[in-house]
Amino acid sequence: MGEPSRRIVIVGGVACGPKAAARARRRDPNAEIILLEKGRFLSYAACGLPYYIGGAVSGIDGLRSTPYGAVRDEVFFQKVKNIDARLGALALSIDRREKKVTARRLDSGTTEEIPYDKLVLATGAVPVIPLIEGINREGVYCLHHPDDALQIRQRIEAGGVERAVIIGAGLVGVELVESLFNHAVDAVVLEMADRVLPSFFDAEMAASIQDELTRDGIEILTSQTALRVEGKGRVEKVVTMDREIAADMVIVAAGVRPNVELARAAGLSLGVTGAIAVDERMRTSGEDIYAGGDCVECFHRVSGRQVYAPLGSTANRHGRVIGENIAGGDDAFPGVVGTVILKALNINAAKTGLTERQALDLGYDIITTITPCQDHVHFYPGNKAFLLKLIAERGTRRLLGAQIVGAGDAAKRIDILATALQFSATLEQAANLDLAYSPPFSHAMDGTIQAANHTRNRLDGLAQGLTPIEARRLLAEAEGLILLDVREAEEIDKQPVGDGRVKPIPQGQLRERSPELNKEATILCLCQQGLRSYEAAVWLKAAGFDKAFYLDGGLRLWPYVSRDPQSRKADFR
């Protein structure tokens, strides 16, 4: 090999940093690449930490291994990739004029000045620690790093942990309930907002997630703030505004914020989100300085705004673009559409694009629909259900966002819709995607296509559907309301609606028994999945029942609809 073509220094060794280093090495075999990581683990899958705690991943090395089983440590990076990876190396400052980084070795305390031709900041994020009295008490943990996961699992396996309180119902907090469940540890989740996953799901979809977790034995307390963690030495209870919760363990999962201290001290520009500002080639405001991963903000392709979207998938994509560009190539990162997915016990939940609230705040004139779907045909064993919510712009008919909740295969559908959003697809384009069909995998018309067509029908005035939020208001305000239950008698007996305004007429009898209904009344048609009630509302409208509606999403969302009505604005908080 010849003389080094360039010296690349990368600060941060979790996701973006190692990916940038690996791509730069492939692009330039002669570059000198130095990777600085303050911790003791390199290139690990932080998103897998809850699954290590729960036991799905047997050892922590499983989160930093290649598909063929090699552990990605300093030796691996040196021998396999010729990258000088230095653990326990804390970057202290950047001298932009002299183009050098000062770093301290945490084991010896010695400092070193490291010159660079190209510098990459992949400093990640730091956990948000709420200002709660007693938060530093023994038995309180924060899940952000492999060392945190090791401590939590060791504490559980040592015994004596029967109940844990999770502070925060975001992605990590909700995923953790399954990890604790696998160890027979009862979980209580506290969330300041009025719903779980408040940044990602609208009220009715979040309610479906919460109801399912509650049925599985998870206690979720929303609109609750932890005030104190109490105990004699070790944690014994968490005190909220109106109750005391016994706890053997507390896990703080209140989110993260970008780690920008090094960038700020170097005078690099921060964006509107507080994260490092970068252009589409991941360049910062400093010459020859790039940044990526959880420390930067991203362009949102649907909203057109800058957003903070800390995800391992995004960090890896950033790293590839950076590695290409620092090694002589020319690549661009086009932005994100805001796609997330999680699994918790028996429910899958996924989201892409804008939520309904976000779309309204941006001034879009929108329509939303909720379509009950199954992940493959009913006659092939093992099919599972899910709800699919679409948000679209009325005038352009452009898809703006989607949310999926249920036991069915959410990953396939959210990826289809994320791809559609990436290319600004309309409902018509989404409805005509040529998707794979075979009974073990899907329907002849997949749920994504059904949902797009459902929304088209609503826009074209072929049916009058009510969102769960609108239905809540109708239940509270409409006089003489008829709840027309078009299910069969045995279905009604199994799951009664429990409202005195119910009029049961099976769908097959509706035409002959329609004279029993008042044509001037407001009628809300109900069924289990939403298809029969949709067809009933269409027929009633054609028969002169002008105020016949159906409930979007079917009776799976009835627990949310029938709760004490609140204003539409309150549902969107």
Side-chain angles (χ1 to χ4, degrees):
M1 302 293 285
E3 291 295 318
S5 56
R6 55 176 64 85
R7 173 178 275 197
I8 298 168
V9 176
I10 300 172
V11 180
V14 179
C16 176
K19 185 65 177 180
R23 180 60 184 172
R25 171 58 70 226
R26 296 186 188 106
R27 196 71 170 73
D28 184 354
N30 293 320
E32 180 184 5
I33 303 175
I34 300 172
L35 179 64
L36 306 177
E37 167 54 43
K38 65 180 181 180
R40 64 189 184 101
F41 295 100
L42 276 171
S43 193
Y44 59 86
C47 296
L49 293 176
Y51 304 105
Y52 165 74
I53 293 172
V57 180
S58 59
I60 205 71
D61 280 349
L63 300 178
R64 58 183 187 134
S65 298
T66 66
Y68 54 87
V71 176
R72 294 189 293 262
D73 56 14
E74 310 103 299
V75 175
F76 171 86
F77 273 90
Q78 184 63 64
K79 290 187 175 296
V80 176
K81 299 184 180 295
N82 190 25
I83 293 169
D84 181 5
R86 304 177 185 179
L87 289 176
L90 174 65
L92 300 174
S93 63
I94 301 167
D95 186 332
R96 291 167 54 185
R97 182 174 180 178
E98 297 294 327
K99 298 185 72 172
K100 60 187 179 183
V101 175
T102 299
R104 177 190 296 134
R105 299 305 293 260
L106 298 179
D107 54 355
S108 65
T110 59
T111 60
E112 178 184 7
E113 291 184 346
I114 308 170
Y116 66 84
D117 295 308
K118 303 289 183 182
L119 175 63
V120 179
L121 300 182
T123 50
V126 294
V128 173
I129 305 299
L131 296 175
I132 300 171
E133 182 183 341
I135 197 71
N136 295 319
R137 193 176 300 278
E138 185 181 354
V140 179
Y141 303 90
C142 177
L143 182 59
H144 185 69
H145 187 272
D147 285 324
D148 304 323
L150 284 165
Q151 291 176 19
I152 293 170
R153 181 161 161 177
Q154 288 168 3
R155 173 71 183 91
I156 292 172
E157 291 178 344
V161 179
E162 297 182 359
R163 197 180 204 199
V165 171
I166 300 170
I167 298 177
L171 295 174
V172 173
V174 172
E175 287 174 338
L176 272 171
V177 302
E178 180 171 334
S179 303
L180 297 173
F181 186 90
N182 290 344
H183 290 287
V185 175
D186 292 334
V188 180
V189 183
L190 299 181
E191 172 56 50
M192 291 177 60
D194 63 353
R195 72 192 74 165
V196 299
L197 300 157
S199 298
F200 306 106
F201 291 91
D202 290 316
E204 73 277 52
M205 301 299 278
S208 183
I209 298 170
Q210 183 169 337
D211 289 345
E212 185 64 37
L213 293 175
T214 300
R215 278 192 288 271
D216 287 329
I218 308 302
E219 186 175 3
I220 299 175
L221 305 175
T222 56
S223 302
Q224 286 284 339
T225 301
L227 301 179
R228 297 187 307 279
V229 177
E230 296 183 353
K232 296 178 180 178
R234 178 177 292 276
V235 60
E236 296 176 3
K237 61 183 175 182
V238 176
V239 179
T240 72
M241 296 175 292
D242 55 17
R243 62 185 295 177
E244 296 182 351
I245 306 166
D248 304 304
M249 171 186 286
V250 173
I251 304 177
V252 178
V256 298
R257 56 180 175 82
N259 183 3
V260 298
E261 297 311 311
L262 188 64
R264 179 188 285 116
L268 300 179
S269 297
L270 304 183
V272 294
T273 67
I276 300 172
V278 292
D279 65 11
E280 63 179 3
R281 283 166 174 74
M282 308 309 296
R283 295 175 297 205
T284 71
S285 60
E287 183 180 3
D288 292 323
I289 302 178
Y290 295 72
D294 292 358
C295 62
V296 307
E297 63 183 21
C298 297
F299 174 73
H300 196 292
R301 292 173 60 90
V302 182
S303 71
R305 306 288 180 88
Q306 296 296 323
V307 297
Y308 182 54
L311 289 170
S313 53
T314 304
N316 276 276
R317 291 162 60 206
H318 285 170
R320 191 186 193 281
V321 171
I322 292 170
E324 179 76 11
N325 292 337
I326 61 178
D330 185 21
D331 200 0
F333 182 74
V336 300
V337 294
T339 307
V340 298
I341 188 168
L342 74 151
K343 174 185 179 296
L345 297 173
N346 297 313
I347 197 161
N348 303 315
K351 170 261 180 187
T352 190
L354 303 178
T355 65
E356 183 174 351
R357 179 68 267 164
Q358 289 167 344
L360 290 172
D361 286 345
L362 289 167
Y364 285 106
D365 181 15
I366 63 170
I367 183 172
T368 71
T369 58
I370 300 175
T371 306
C373 307
Q374 294 182 330
D375 55 10
H376 62 259
V377 295
H378 63 280
F379 56 78
Y380 187 89
N383 67 317
K384 296 179 180 179
F386 59 91
L387 295 173
L388 199 166
K389 178 174 182 175
L390 287 186
I391 300 102
E393 187 177 22
R394 287 183 179 272
T396 64
R397 302 169 79 95
R398 179 167 69 103
L399 185 65
L400 296 177
Q403 297 164 44
I404 300 175
V405 173
D409 182 358
K412 171 180 177 177
R413 280 81 199 180
I414 210 66
D415 284 343
I416 292 169
L417 293 164
T419 304
L421 285 172
Q422 189 85 3
F423 298 102
S424 302
T426 64
L427 291 167
E428 282 68 28
Q429 290 168 329
N432 286 288
L433 291 170
D434 187 12
L435 304 179
Y437 164 60
S438 178
F441 302 106
S442 63
H443 279 266
M445 295 181 72
D446 187 74
T448 53
I449 293 174
Q450 296 175 36
N453 282 330
H454 179 192
T455 312
R456 293 168 71 194
N457 288 339
R458 287 273 302 278
L459 277 171
D460 294 338
L462 300 179
Q464 300 181 111
L466 295 182
T467 70
I469 292 172
E470 291 168 337
R472 287 177 70 173
R473 296 177 63 185
L474 187 72
L475 260 64
E477 300 171 2
E479 295 183 4
L481 174 67
I482 298 173
L483 298 176
L484 180 62
D485 194 333
V486 297
R487 296 177 296 165
E488 299 299 319
E490 56 269 23
E491 294 178 89
I492 295 174
D493 290 341
K494 186 176 180 180
Q495 185 186 351
V497 169
D499 190 300
R501 294 168 288 185
V502 169
K503 173 73 173 178
I505 300 180
Q507 184 189 25
Q509 302 176 21
L510 184 57
R511 281 172 168 78
E512 62 189 69
R513 294 180 58 185
S514 62
E516 299 177 24
L517 302 173
N518 180 2
K519 285 193 173 183
E520 304 301 318
T522 300
I523 301 173
L524 179 60
C525 301
L526 304 173
C527 74
Q528 199 64 37
Q529 297 294 329
L531 178 59
R532 287 172 290 176
S533 56
Y534 164 79
E535 292 179 339
V538 170
W539 184 85
L540 286 171
K541 181 182 177 183
F545 294 82
D546 294 332
K547 293 186 287 184
F549 304 90
Y550 67 95
L551 174 62
D552 235 1
L555 285 173
R556 281 195 51 189
L557 287 170
W558 186 252
Y560 172 79
V561 173
S562 59
R563 289 173 188 157
D564 292 337
Q566 300 175 11
S567 69
R568 187 178 181 89
K569 181 178 180 181
D571 279 311
F572 284 139
R573 281 198 305 267

